[in-house]
C-alpha cells in the first residue's frame, strides 16, 4: 500500500513526498517547504523519528487538514521540539523574528512540547492536538533548558500573539 504526504507551499504548488515512515525523507522534505516561507499544507502522516526537528526561520503558516468537526486529520509522529524557532546568533536581535502559524495538526509521541518558539515576531497556534508525549531524560531536560512539561494528553487550542501563552485546559 502506498501512502503519500503532500507538502504544498502556496507559491510552488507541486511538492509531494512518498510516505515511507522514514525520518530521513520526511524531515528534509518539510524543512525544504518551510524554508521557502509562505503557506505549507501538510496532508496525511509525517514521521519524524526520535530526534526529527523542523527549524522555522522565515514567516510561515503551517496547516494540516481537519475533519468536519474541526479535529486535525494530519498527524505528525515523533520529533524533538518538532517545530522550533531558535534564538538568533546575535543578541539582542536586530529585527523581529518570524511570524509563525501552526494549526490543525495532531502531534503524536513528541519528545516534550512539539512546538518550541524561542524567537518569533508573533505566533498563532490553534486547533492542534498533542497526545502520547514522551518524557525527556532528566539530563536532557537540564542540558537543553526545558522549562515545562505538558500533560500526557492535551488538546491545544490556543492563539498566541507575540507572547508565550498556553491554554491546556481543553
Amino acid at each position: 500500500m502506498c501512502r503519500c504526504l503532500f507538502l504544498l507551499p502556496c507559491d510552488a504548488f507541486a511538492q509531494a513526498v512518498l510516505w515511507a515512515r522514514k525520518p530521513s525523507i520526511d524531515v528534509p522534505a518539510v524543512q525544504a517547504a518551510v524554508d521557502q516561507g509562505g503557506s505549507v499544507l501538510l496532508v496525511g502522516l509525517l514521521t519524524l523519528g526520535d530526534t526529527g526537528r523542523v527549524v522555522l526561520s522565515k514567516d510561515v503558516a503551517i496547516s494540516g487538514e481537519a475533519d468536519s468537526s474541526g479535529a486535525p486529520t494530519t498527524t505528525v509522529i515523533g520529533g524533538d521540539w518538532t517545530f522550533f524557532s531558535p534564538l538568533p546568533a546575535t543578541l539582542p536581535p536586530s529585527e523581529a523574528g518570524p511570524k509563525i502559524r501552526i494549526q490543525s495538526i495532531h502531534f503524536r509521541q513528541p519528545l516534550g512540547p512539539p512546538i518550541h518558539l524561542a524567537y518569533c515576531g508573533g505566533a498563532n497556534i490553534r486547533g492542534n492536538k498533542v497526545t502520547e508525549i514522551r518524557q525527556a531524560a532528566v539530563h536532557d531536560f537540564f542540558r537543553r533548558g526545558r522549562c515545562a512539561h505538558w500533560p500526557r494528553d492535551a488538546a491545544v487550542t490556543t492563539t498566541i500573539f507575540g507572547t508565550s501563552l498556553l491554554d491546556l485546559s481543553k
Side-chain angles (χ1 to χ4, degrees):
M1 176 189 308
C2 179
R3 297 190 186 218
C4 293
L5 165 73
F6 295 96
L7 306 168
L8 306 171
C10 262
D11 301 317
F13 210 66
Q15 204 166 349
V17 177
L18 282 178
W19 173 57
R21 289 190 179 210
K22 292 185 179 180
S24 61
I25 294 171
D26 293 345
V27 175
V30 175
Q31 188 66 61
V34 301
D35 283 349
Q36 294 177 30
S39 296
V40 176
L41 177 64
L42 304 179
V43 179
L45 178 74
L46 172 69
T47 304
L48 297 183
D50 288 336
T51 60
R53 175 177 300 162
V54 176
V55 177
L56 309 175
S57 59
K58 295 185 179 180
D59 293 356
V60 66
I62 303 168
S63 300
E65 291 191 314
D67 63 18
S68 61
S69 71
T73 59
T74 298
T75 300
V76 175
I77 298 175
D80 181 11
W81 288 353
T82 309
F83 290 116
F84 175 59
S85 176
L87 289 170
T90 304
L91 294 174
S94 58
E95 57 189 51
K99 292 177 182 69
I100 298 168
R101 182 179 75 202
I102 301 171
Q103 67 182 29
S104 302
I105 298 174
H106 177 190
F107 294 96
R108 202 174 104 213
Q109 299 174 347
L111 184 62
I115 300 169
H116 183 85
L117 306 179
Y119 179 64
C120 69
N124 183 323
I125 312 297
R126 62 188 164 118
N128 298 295
K129 180 179 180 181
V130 183
T131 60
E132 303 172 53
I133 297 172
R134 297 175 296 135
Q135 294 294 320
V138 172
H139 61 83
D140 284 344
F141 178 86
F142 288 106
R143 185 186 89 232
R144 295 200 8 223
R146 292 179 189 244
C147 58
H149 284 281
W150 288 19
R152 183 94 175 126
D153 291 300
V156 180
T157 307
T158 302
T159 301
I160 302 174
F161 296 103
T163 60
S164 183
L165 170 66
L166 297 176
D167 176 7
L168 302 177
S169 62
K170 298 193 181 338

